DNA sequence: TTTTCCGCTTTGTCCGACAAACGGTCTCAC
DNA sequence: GTGAGACCGTTTGTCGGACAAAGCGGAAAA
């Protein structure tokens, strides 16, 4: 009977105790009354304050831990943590993989995000970041011929460029895609031998463009660098419209768990 | 003594039982052996299978729930859920707020992400999404003068544009920023009366450009639309380099919790 | 056939308990 | 006096058992 009438009201959600525990602590953190580094207190203390059972407190703590708001230092005290992205990014990467996003989507998004990041880097890079980029460059020049190292250093390069933009929103926005995108360059370098040198040259040009504050040149070489990746991907015999395999998700996850 | 020697080994992390429970179930989901919609089983069943206590199983379940991998249907059975972003995006928004990102960062990132999204929309929008955009437009034309509605419909408009790009990576990448960015347009419309009509015109032009597959025009009007926002922000007397207030985080969180 | 009621299942919460790991203190040998 | 080691209380991770409330399904009643 009632299913023939349009529902006027939403279902009422009664929050459970462990959710209220989590929300109470979260409110303290979001409002700033608890600051990163502060300790939350022992489980027993929380039991006293909230007047609920320890199991309930513990479930609430799990929620906060997963949300990246608190952190347990090596099985010991609970601290409010300075917001860490890694855990969140890897969770998003996992969601992307589960949705079977394609490499084309990944590539199109990376093009937008990485070019955006290098634009920001041209505008805001300071000496410190540029030094880090140069250090990265000298390492990658040593690593030609070693696909595993190449891919790792390349991933770090792009993270550094994003960091140079001094835009934490952008830095975060690109991370889930990067986590899935760059590991595959290992596979490419393995199968396309000229991939390594081309990558090293592109990085060199990008760093130079950032140092020269040359927006157009930076854009150009970042774009070229990524298009190279796509070419290599195809030449390595991969289908660009195929979904990102779930293998990569596992890889991204296991790395971030460390 | 040992702190004078460079540490060779990382601390060994012994995974606790509830983490292993969570990982075991996660592995089933990521590998595809458990598909969205499948049910996980009752807590009692998991207790039997894993041979651990129910409290332990429950903590593991909390972890998965927060990770957006499983979902409890109204206090009842556990299902593998089709990956939902909302929860994850709001968590990232929260992290951004806690880092005190500025409106300028938000604006710069939104410029890159939204222009990127509209580029994708020009390339990939289909009739269905365009119809949805038109419906959104007719609603916003009715809403001029109502800041709350305007801001809501504007937020939906941008989500639709991103969806039209048929790029789930980009769609997801923009969401955390959007969650923080667009709600503030309510404040702007409230204080800058001509904001409403300008927003409506920009949307109209963007939709037309998408329909005409005119890349440059779409870019132009999206950029103009966002720059308008920034102008309004300043004219409303707000400081663009000030951190996003924590109020907005709460707003974004409470919306996504529904 | 429809409504109502009853009992079973499952979740949310509680209580009490214990081993292992950790932190701090105290003692003892040097 | 100082350092090493033993000792002890605290805290976490896990366990077993228990109960009320809510949801589900089938039987009984209208």
């Amino acid at each position: 009977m009632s299913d023939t009438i349009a529902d006027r009201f939403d279902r009422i959600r009664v929050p459970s105790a462990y959710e209220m525990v989590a929300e109470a602590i979260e409110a303290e953190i979001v409002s700033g009354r608890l600051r990163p580094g502060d300790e939350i207190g022992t489980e027993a203390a929380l039991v006293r304050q909230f007047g609920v059972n320890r199991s309930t407190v513990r479930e609430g703590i799990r929620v906060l831990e997963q949300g990246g708001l608190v952190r347990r230092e090596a099985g010991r005290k609970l601290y409010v943590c300075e917001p860490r992205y890694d855990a969140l990014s890897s969770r998003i990467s996992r969601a992307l993989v589960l949705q079977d996003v394609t490499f084309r989507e990944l590539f199109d998004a990376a093009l937008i995000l990485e070019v955006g990041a290098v634009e920001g880097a041209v505008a805001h890079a300071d000496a410190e970041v540029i030094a880090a980029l140069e250090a990265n460059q000298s390492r990658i020049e040593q690593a030609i011929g070693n696909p595993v190292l190449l891919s790792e250093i390349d991933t770090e390069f792009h993270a550094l460029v994003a960091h140079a933009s001094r835009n934490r929103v952008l830095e975060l926005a690109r991370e889930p895609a990067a986590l899935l995108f760059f590991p595959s360059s290992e596979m490419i370098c393995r199968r396309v031998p000229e991939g390594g040198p081309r990558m090293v040259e592109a990085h060199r040009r990008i760093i130079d463009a950032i140092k020269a504050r040359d927006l157009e040149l930076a854009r150009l070489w970042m774009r070229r660098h990524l298009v190279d990746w796509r070419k290599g991907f195809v030449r390595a015999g991969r289908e660009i419209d195929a979904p990102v395999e779930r293998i990569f998700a596992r890889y991204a996850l296991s790395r971030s768990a460390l």
Side-chain angles (χ1 to χ4, degrees), chain A:
Chain A
M1 186 205 226
S2 65
D3 41 351
T4 65
I5 301 177
D7 289 349
R8 177 175 306 273
F9 297 111
D10 289 340
R11 179 178 189 86
I12 290 180
R13 247 192 71 65
V14 213
S16 44
Y18 77 88
E19 290 172 312
M20 296 181 71
V21 167
E23 273 170 36
I25 299 176
E26 170 178 333
E28 289 296 294
I29 297 175
V30 171
S31 73
R33 284 188 293 274
L34 277 176
R35 296 215 133 271
D38 292 356
E39 38 187 276
I40 307 280
T42 70
E43 294 180 0
L46 294 174
V47 165
R48 277 197 304 278
Q49 292 177 57
F50 290 116
V52 297
N53 190 270
R54 194 156 76 97
S55 314
T56 306
V57 166
R58 284 176 61 82
E59 287 189 38
I61 290 175
R62 292 300 153 251
V63 172
L64 294 172
E65 249 177 4
Q66 282 303 107
L69 283 177
V70 308
R71 164 197 242 158
R72 202 181 283 283
E73 199 84 20
R76 212 77 197 126
K77 273 184 186 154
L78 266 186
Y79 291 100
V80 180
C81 64
E82 62 276 42
R84 296 186 61 82
Y85 295 149
D86 351 7
L88 294 175
S89 297
S90 77
R91 218 153 291 138
I92 293 199
S93 301
R94 191 182 56 195
L96 289 173
V97 173
L98 286 175
Q99 290 225 344
D100 289 327
V101 299
T102 66
F103 271 104
R104 182 184 301 277
E105 282 170 284
L106 221 42
F107 174 79
D108 289 348
L111 200 55
I112 289 162
L113 292 164
E114 298 299 322
V115 171
V118 86
E119 287 173 12
V122 167
H124 300 116
D126 57 22
E128 188 186 343
V129 183
I130 288 175
L133 282 168
E134 290 289 3
N136 175 280
Q137 183 69 11
S138 65
R139 279 199 298 144
I140 206 173
E141 281 165 7
Q142 308 296 317
I144 293 190
N146 182 337
V148 176
L149 268 183
L150 268 183
S151 139
E152 269 177 27
I153 302 175
D154 180 47
T155 303
E156 189 191 296
F157 171 81
H158 288 272
L160 280 172
V161 169
H163 189 66
S165 76
R166 299 225 156 272
N167 185 326
R168 288 160 292 180
V169 181
L170 190 58
E171 196 176 351
L172 172 59
R174 65 169 284 286
E175 197 159 313
L179 225 47
L180 295 179
F181 188 76
F182 292 112
S184 63
S185 58
E186 176 186 333
M187 179 270 302
I188 294 177
C189 290
R190 210 179 284 285
R191 307 216 186 167
V192 184
E194 66 271 33
R198 289 187 65 95
M199 176 187 287
V200 171
E201 189 202 350
H203 284 199
R204 176 77 268 156
R205 302 277 193 159
I206 291 169
I207 295 175
D208 288 345
I210 291 174
K211 282 158 75 176
R213 310 274 175 208
D214 187 331
L215 190 60
E216 273 312 316
L217 205 60
R219 271 197 200 121
L220 177 73
W221 277 98
M222 181 60 86
R223 184 176 293 270
R224 200 169 278 181
H225 179 39
L226 291 174
V227 170
D228 258 1
W229 179 91
R230 189 175 60 182
K231 281 185 194 154
F233 189 82
V234 174
R235 289 192 48 193
R238 305 295 283 270
E239 177 53 56
I240 194 108
D241 281 308
V244 175
E245 295 101 296
R246 308 207 154 173
I247 299 299
F248 283 124
R250 192 173 299 274
Y251 173 77
L253 283 171
S254 66
R255 281 185 61 81
S256 80
L258 298 179

